[in-house]
């Protein structure tokens, strides 16, 4: 697929949660396709693969500090980016807990951590930064097929599932509030991928998955409305 660079305009993607894993790989893929990339890291004192990417990118990768669970980080980040125009805002950050604990036995602190990190904080980021996204740009979040209520036929990972279902609902509400705009909105369900979050038993590698995910995002640019899509670009049932 082409880089989506047209004329003199080099598009810019802000990827929230790009220090390693899927976020870093997506940053590298967009860079390879001719985009400029802004990637956020949670801990500025730790060198990450994103720093290595930035060193090789000749100024086309900028690293910003953001812990999505710290709302006070958002206004300063917005101020630092105020002169930029984003073609894509994508929130990748997330967490999980033990998949074997049924919901009634989950500790309250664990429940709150997963729900805040996976559902509330991504929407805070989007609400705080959406005005930086161009009128025909794209806003997306990393959801999961496990957020589908229809497809839940096996149970397990109940807090994680619930957090992604909540994220889907919040994103749908946000898209409804922006129904008069020309922006696109994407809930991306990448499949089970071998990352720190996905674990070593996942069937898909980062290397084979990320080009597919970036293809889907590029295909949604300039297409208004909300889509909940899997790694093949197929609609996931709510």
């Amino acid at each position: 697929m082409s880089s989506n660079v047209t004329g003199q305009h080099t598009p810019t993607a802000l990827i929230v949660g790009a220090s390693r894993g899927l976020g870093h790989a997506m940053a590298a893929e967009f860079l390879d396709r001719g985009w400029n990339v802004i990637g956020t890291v949670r801990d500025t004192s730790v060198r990450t693969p994103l720093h290595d990417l930035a060193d090789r990118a000749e100024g086309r990768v900028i690293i910003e500090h953001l812990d999505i669970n710290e709302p006070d980080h958002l206004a300063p980040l917005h101020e630092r980016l105020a002169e930029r125009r984003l073609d894509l805002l994508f929130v990748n950050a997330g967490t999980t807990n033990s998949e074997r604990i049924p919901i009634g036995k989950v500790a309250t602190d664990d429940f709150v951590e997963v729900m805040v990190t996976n559902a509330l904080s991504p929407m805070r980021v989007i609400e705080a930064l959406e005005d930086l996204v161009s009128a025909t740009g794209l806003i997306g979040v990393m959801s999961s097929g496990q957020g589908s209520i229809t497809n839940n036929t096996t149970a397990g990972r109940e807090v994680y599932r619930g957090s992604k279902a909540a994220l889907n609902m919040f994103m749908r509400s946000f898209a409804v509030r922006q129904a008069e705009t020309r922006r696109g909105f994407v809930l991306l369900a990448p499949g089970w991928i071998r990352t720190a979050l996905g674990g070593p038993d996942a069937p898909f590698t980062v290397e084979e998955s990320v080009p597919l995910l970036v293809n889907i995002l590029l295909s949604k640019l300039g297409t208004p409305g909300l889509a909940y899509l899997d790694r093949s670009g197929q609609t996931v049932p709510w």
Side-chain angles (χ1 to χ4, degrees):
M1 179 171 287
S2 66
S3 65
N4 202 52
V5 178
T6 59
Q8 297 300 311
H9 174 64
T10 301
T12 297
L14 170 56
I15 301 176
V16 175
S19 60
R20 55 180 55 84
L22 274 180
H24 162 258
M26 291 176 71
E29 184 71 16
F30 274 106
L31 185 70
D32 286 346
R33 299 191 190 208
W35 285 54
N36 293 330
V37 175
I38 305 168
T40 72
V41 299
R42 186 172 58 181
D43 187 350
T44 57
S45 67
V46 176
R47 186 171 181 86
T48 71
L50 184 65
H51 290 83
D52 297 333
L53 182 66
D55 286 349
R56 302 191 300 268
E58 300 180 343
R60 292 176 49 220
V61 173
I62 295 173
I63 298 176
E64 289 286 355
H65 176 222
L66 176 64
D67 183 334
I68 66 169
N69 288 341
E70 296 292 340
D72 290 346
H73 288 188
L74 291 170
L77 177 61
H78 186 283
E79 184 175 354
R80 294 194 299 271
L81 299 179
E83 300 303 315
R84 295 182 175 274
R85 183 57 54 197
L86 306 176
D87 298 274
L88 168 67
L89 166 60
F90 189 80
V91 183
N92 172 65
T95 191
T96 189
N97 72 327
S98 173
E99 63 183 42
R100 294 182 177 85
I101 300 176
I103 187 63
K105 296 183 178 180
V106 172
T108 299
D109 287 348
D110 291 344
F111 178 86
V112 170
E113 179 185 6
V114 175
M115 292 296 291
V116 169
T117 303
N118 288 359
L120 177 59
S121 292
M123 297 311 303
R124 281 177 169 160
V125 171
I126 289 170
E127 296 271 9
L129 303 180
E130 61 91 10
D131 65 304
L132 302 177
V133 180
S134 71
T136 56
L138 181 66
I139 297 174
V141 290
M142 193 68 82
S143 184
S144 170
Q146 295 193 16
S148 168
I149 295 173
T150 300
N151 285 349
N152 183 6
T153 59
T154 60
R157 303 193 76 189
E158 292 176 19
V159 177
Y160 180 79
R161 286 179 186 274
S163 71
K164 292 299 186 178
L167 174 64
N168 293 353
M169 179 62 78
F170 298 152
M171 192 66 176
R172 179 141 189 181
S173 293
F174 178 76
V176 168
R177 284 188 272 120
Q178 298 229 347
E180 300 304 316
T181 74
R182 293 178 293 159
R183 289 174 175 162
F185 307 95
V186 177
L187 293 157
L188 198 55
W192 188 11
I193 301 174
R194 266 172 256 155
T195 62
L197 190 68
D201 297 327
F204 304 123
T205 67
V206 170
E207 292 76 14
E208 69 182 319
S209 300
V210 165
L212 299 177
L213 302 180
V214 170
N215 283 347
I216 292 168
L217 294 176
L218 292 178
S219 74
K220 279 293 292 176
L221 277 171
T223 305
L226 175 65
Y228 181 18
L229 303 174
D230 67 15
R231 59 190 285 115
S232 301
Q234 299 299 307
T235 297
V236 181
W238 294 95

